[in-house]
Amino acid sequence: MDGNGRWAKARGKDRIYGHFEGVESVRAVMEAAVEWGIPYISFFAFSEENWGRPEQEVLALMELMGRTMVGELDNFLEHRIRFVVLGNRARLSDELNASIDRMMAATAGGDALTMILFLSYSGQWDILQAAEKMAHDLMNHPGQPVRPEDLSRHLVTAGIPDPDLLIRTSGEKRISNYLLWQTAYTEFVFTDTLWPDFRKEAFREALEEFASRDRRFGKIK
Ligand code: IPE
Ligand code: MG
């Protein structure tokens, strides 16, 4: 999700106003995912690097995320959505972690859609913490061959399928330390649309582009 700040700036408003409007896009995309039977949807809400933004913006974002997720509980339960937060949770406040734990426990039975919020996440951090655990395993079983699955099962995304499609909004064409390992064969769609303007129609267009791709996974057809 990118372009909230620019969206607000274009309207002469404070950046946080763009984040508020971005929440409406999350809701619209999530509802479309439920309607279209998409089993998993992830949102990169806050990166490890985003901690370096001005304190006022970081605090406003954390407050917005905490308040919004708690306010969505009825919606999640009604639509049988499982809510999951993945990232470096040690950096989040106790209060936010408590809300996340409550939301994850309350929605654990959701079987229509898994909605993942990547919070204080970076791909390199994820690979490093997984490598540390893998190194520990190897010390206990020296000489054992190491396969990609051995790292995958220590990533915070263990048990969640790798993404088929990654959409980046706002005209930027880079991965910015998102899911580095998990996107080995992901299809990328880049759109100039700013995140607060990315609603159901924009999502449909991205899915149509995805549907037109010829995925070979390094093989030939
Ligand atoms: C995305 O919008 C939201 C977060 C990264 C939290 P930005 O805040 O990056 O908006 P721009 O890129 O400054 O327009
Ligand atoms: Mg940005």
Side-chain angles (χ1 to χ4, degrees), residues 1 6 46 49 55 72 83 92 110-111 162 164 185 206 208 220:
M1 301 184 280
R6 279 164 281 169
F46 195 87
E49 290 77 17
E55 193 186 359
E72 288 300 301
F83 176 72
L92 304 179
D111 55 3
D162 288 344
D164 289 311
Y185 275 98
E208 278 167 2
I220 48 176

Side-chain angles (χ1 to χ4, degrees), residues 5-209:
R6 279 164 281 169
W7 187 92
K9 196 176 170 210
R11 284 156 184 80
K13 306 225 179 180
D14 191 72
R15 294 176 54 81
I16 191 68
Y17 186 75
H19 298 316
F20 283 135
E21 204 54 36
V23 169
E24 299 310 314
S25 295
V26 173
R27 196 172 282 122
V29 167
M30 198 178 70
E31 279 170 12
V34 170
E35 187 186 327
W36 299 334
I38 293 169
Y40 291 87
I41 191 147
S42 307
F43 298 91
F44 194 12
F46 195 87
S47 71
E48 283 279 80
E49 290 77 17
N50 286 150
W51 288 111
R53 290 190 179 196
E55 193 186 359
Q56 178 203 328
E57 179 165 344
V58 170
L59 286 174
L61 275 168
M62 291 298 152
E63 208 268 327
L64 176 64
M65 286 190 281
R67 186 157 38 86
T68 307
M69 73 175 74
V70 171
E72 288 300 301
L73 182 58
D74 289 347
N75 192 19
F76 287 153
L77 294 176
E78 185 191 334
H79 291 103
R80 306 206 322 273
I81 298 169
R82 174 167 71 121
F83 176 72
V84 176
V85 170
L86 299 178
N88 187 358
R89 297 223 6 221
R91 295 185 79 173
L92 304 179
S93 72
D94 291 346
E95 192 193 349
L96 185 55
N97 272 321
S99 296
I100 292 168
D101 285 340
R102 257 186 286 123
M103 291 296 296
M104 285 178 54
T107 64
D111 55 3
L113 169 74
T114 296
M115 194 274 204
I116 306 160
L117 200 64
F118 282 91
L119 205 49
S120 193
Y121 181 85
S122 89
Q124 290 179 342
W125 165 80
D126 196 5
I127 292 168
L128 274 180
Q129 64 83 31
E132 217 174 336
K133 290 176 186 154
M134 206 172 82
H136 197 264
D137 287 352
L138 282 172
M139 280 195 294
N140 295 326
H141 306 278
Q144 190 179 275
V146 179
R147 304 153 304 165
E149 308 85 85
D150 298 314
L151 190 103
S152 296
R153 68 190 164 80
H154 290 307
L155 294 168
V156 294
T157 50
I160 293 166
D162 288 344
D164 289 311
L165 168 65
L166 186 152
I167 303 166
R168 182 159 188 166
T169 57
S170 87
E172 309 294 355
K173 295 177 183 70
R174 51 178 174 268
I175 193 157
S176 297
N177 216 351
Y178 189 34
L179 299 164
L180 300 178
W181 176 276
Q182 299 89 335
T183 50
Y185 275 98
T186 297
E187 295 293 327
F188 288 73
V189 168
F190 297 103
T191 168
D192 288 338
T193 304
L194 302 175
W195 178 253
D197 290 326
F198 192 93
R199 301 283 161 96
K200 194 175 180 181
E201 263 324 292
F203 188 26
R204 186 200 301 278
E205 280 169 28
L207 290 178
E208 278 167 2
E209 186 176 338

